[in-house]
Amino acid sequence: MKKRLNTIIGPRVPPDLQKQDSLRFLLPTLLLSLSVVCLLVSISQPYWRLKLHAPQYPGGLSVQVYLTHTTGDVKEIDGLNHYIGMKSLSEAAKLERSISVAAVLVLAVLLLGATYVHTRWAVLLVIPCLIFPFGFLGDLYYWLRAFGLNLNPEAPLNHAVKPFVPTILGEGFVGQFKTVASVDSGFYLVCMGCVLAIAGLWFHRLAYKPLQDQALS
Amino acid sequence: MAYETSDNSKTWAVVAAIVVVVFAAIGWLIFRPSGEGGAQGPGGATLTRMPGDANSIIKNRQMSPEDVLAALTTYMPSGKHDDYMMFASGGHGGQVLVIGVPSMRLLKVIGVFTPEPWQGWGFSEETRAVINGKAGDGTDLLWGDTHHPALSETNGEYDGQFLFINDKASARVAVIDLRDFETKQIVKNPLAINDHGGAFVTPDTEWVIEGGQYAHPIGGKYASLADYKKSYRGLVTCWKFDRKKGSIDPSKSFAIELPPYWQDLSDAGKLVSDGWIFLNSFNTEMATGGGEKKGGVWFEAGTTQRDMDYLHVINLKKAIATAAAGKTTTINGFRMIPLQTAASESILYFAPEPKSPHGVDVTPGGEYMVVSGKLDPHVTIFSFQKMMDAIKNKSFSGKDPYGVPIFDFKKVVEKQVELGLGPLHTQFDDKGYAYTSLFLDSAVARWSLGGPYEKLHSDKPWTLVKKIPVQYNVGHLAAAEGDTAKPAGHFLVALNKWSVDRFANVGPLLPQNLQLVDISNPGDKMQVLYDMPIGIGEPHYSQIIKADKIKAWDVYPEIGWSPVTQSKSPKATTVGQERIVRNGNTVEVFMTAIRSHLNPEHVEVKKGDKVIWHVTNVERARDATHGFALFNHNLSLEPGETETISFTATKEGVYPYYCTEFCSALHLEMTGYLLVKP
């Protein structure tokens, strides 16, 4: 059992080699740790934003979607949405919002775990982080679609606005509103975290593969 | 793959560089500009040539170069804002007008002493409690005669926080909060029947001054006119303003009893004369009128017999200390420093002034008091320093019949400048000029100040520089921040009483004419730029403040806000909390308003029920105001506002209620039924 565990976490670095070649072993750990920083900071940042432009709102209306909540003119947008029979934004992605922080923490722990595992298995620990941004966009699309296609047929403007799928990125049009949707700081941070994680893996392999080869030979 | 051993010092440099780059990237992602700044205007493009049509318009409309200049100065392109905001009294309309300068566009009429249905002012329980007063005869008072608006000041400069205004007819002072441009408080003077010389504020707005007008027995008592000298009195009232609470505290306020001369306009000293106030007077003859009687003399003759009346010079600091020391009498629950005490405690002095003057205006630095002659063609300029010297040296020419010391005119006057007929009021600019309205001449006079102001202009000091005609019968005038410690210059507005032929005829009652005058160039260059008709009242005085000093709210700070208390209403209702509560014969409705429904839409009561109805506008969008109309009530509910109406359901029937402010495409559907069951 212990042997098996060792084949997964791989060989440890001999202290003298570590001292001699500090950058080689520090680099993957550093990059993966910075990736974790990006992930954690992203919790405090909006992932996606939607801006609505209409003649009677000179400054436009906007909503920012965080992992845990939404900010901006949510009340006003909800108020407008009731005319077309769209549900309140607060009813969307309740489950996702409740577990999102825990999920990011798990991703962070996995990334840190990858710095400890010196074999190819490290890749497995990084992959969830790489999937995360796509997961976010996929889930967002699911909810936009679910809201846009399930309009209350008894709403005041049921004839003027038919069910539709809101645009997830770029421009769209609903009634007199032009909508502009884009990903935001939090999403960019996660993407940067992914790039750092991939770079970290690359140097991880450069650092530990010779050790592993040596151990096998 | 062989590794070369690395240099440890380089290791840390590389690590530090990576960390710095990554954190810089994180920082940039978080704090980067949003990339969607305000709407991009067409700004930047300069007019390289006049469009061909412009010349033909000028030609067809027969405009002079001055007309074109005036048009270009006052025209406000769509969506652009004015540099200044003018607050003008609405005269016996009882309201305050807010006007943009230089465009002269009417921005708002603020309901003050008179109910105003569009604003729901005086229709809700809350605002009715503010507006409801009793007239002298004890009947409900639903109008006022607003004369002199006073913006709150800090260090003698407008701060844009509050506005005060007096009601001459019933001796009241109102407090308006400029965060929401609504009246918050109206105080009735318990001693006075009428007022005039107010409101004026001290340089830090600790005191709001209300000078009296027609002498009368203090506190609303009866006395025969035969006892005028003994039983009739003048008055000046110092209201203590609590800036934090945004209201006047009558318990800390006091009045000073004055001889039965008719006190007129007043002003507070500032900078060197801080702590003093100045009131003009007329009828030091103590005439009692009765021209219709045999041997009687009309007031207009009786009050103008003497060559001199008295400028009242009052040591406010000493008066405050005297009141604090308890040397007051209390009438109708209000403290008053008796005339004897005012004289013996060196609070009150008189400076002789040419007969029946009107305005007294203190120069920006507080050095001089400019008295406008009205019946005398001069402005008389008193030196504050000379008055202080006279007090110090006990140099007086005598005492009036009530024991008040009188200065020697020649020893306290600085200069007299002859301007023309009927000088009424004076304002100041940033270039060392004073401007005086000439009622009989229908003109505005620019004249040069001396003393410390001499270096600001190149004219001979204390000289008439230019008179320009205005149309017609100018009363007050207001220069931009022209009665503060730091006048702005730029513009002046003449508040003309008559418009006669200036506008298309709208019947025998004609609008007033507010004329904008360009005073930005020195010397004899001044130009009338614009005529603004005022068809909703007769403005007396106005004040012009730099618009960027006004920090008004976009929407009320919280849902359920009561503007009268400037705090959350205990009757605020949020979405989901709407309800109808019956308690015996009393039905209380807790309603919300949002585009596009009133909730509840059905309210059922029984005939004879007492109905208390609270409406909260739960909107947060700017300008999403709703109205609420039912029976004799109309409310204006700005975003976040809560108001209450109450009535007894006396007549059975079905009564639709509805939103009176066109709020949305489904505004007509924003309605409901009150069902009064037999």
Side-chain angles (χ1 to χ4, degrees), chain B residues 193-226:
Chain B
I193 304 298
N194 57 73
D195 67 27
H196 190 234
F200 290 90
V201 297
T202 52
D204 281 313
T205 324
E206 289 149 325
W207 299 88
V208 181
I209 312 298
E210 181 195 17
Q213 179 97 88
Y214 306 118
H216 54 72
I218 297 294
K221 294 190 179 64
Y222 171 80
S224 163
L225 279 165

Side-chain angles (χ1 to χ4, degrees), chain B residues 14 20 169 204 225 259 309 324 355 391 395 424 465 580 593 600 609 634 672:
Chain B
V14 171
V20 166
D204 281 313
L225 279 165
D309 287 296
K355 68 175 180 186
I391 291 170
S395 162
L424 291 188
V465 175
I580 300 170
D609 280 345
N634 184 46

Side-chain angles (χ1 to χ4, degrees), chain A residues 19-24 26-27 30 34 41 45 49 51 57 75-76 82-83 156 184-185 188 192 206, chain B residues 3-6 8 11 15 18-19 22-23 25-26 29-30 32 36 559 595-596 618 621 664 666:
Chain A
K19 207 173 170 190
Q20 250 178 38
D21 222 356
S22 55
L23 184 59
R24 168 179 161 196
L26 197 56
L27 211 48
L30 175 73
L34 288 173
V41 173
Q45 294 298 311
R49 65 163 62 224
K51 184 113 188 175
Y57 295 96
K75 258 188 85 108
E76 186 65 14
H82 101 275
Y83 285 119
D184 209 342
S185 321
Y188 291 130
M192 194 165 93
L206 277 187
Chain B
Y3 267 92
E4 286 170 27
T5 54
S6 60
N8 271 355
T11 303
V15 168
I18 292 173
V19 170
V22 168
F23 275 90
I26 292 174
L29 273 174
I30 294 174
R32 75 193 191 283
E36 50 189 45
I559 289 176
R595 284 160 290 167
S596 301
V618 295
S664 57
L666 293 161

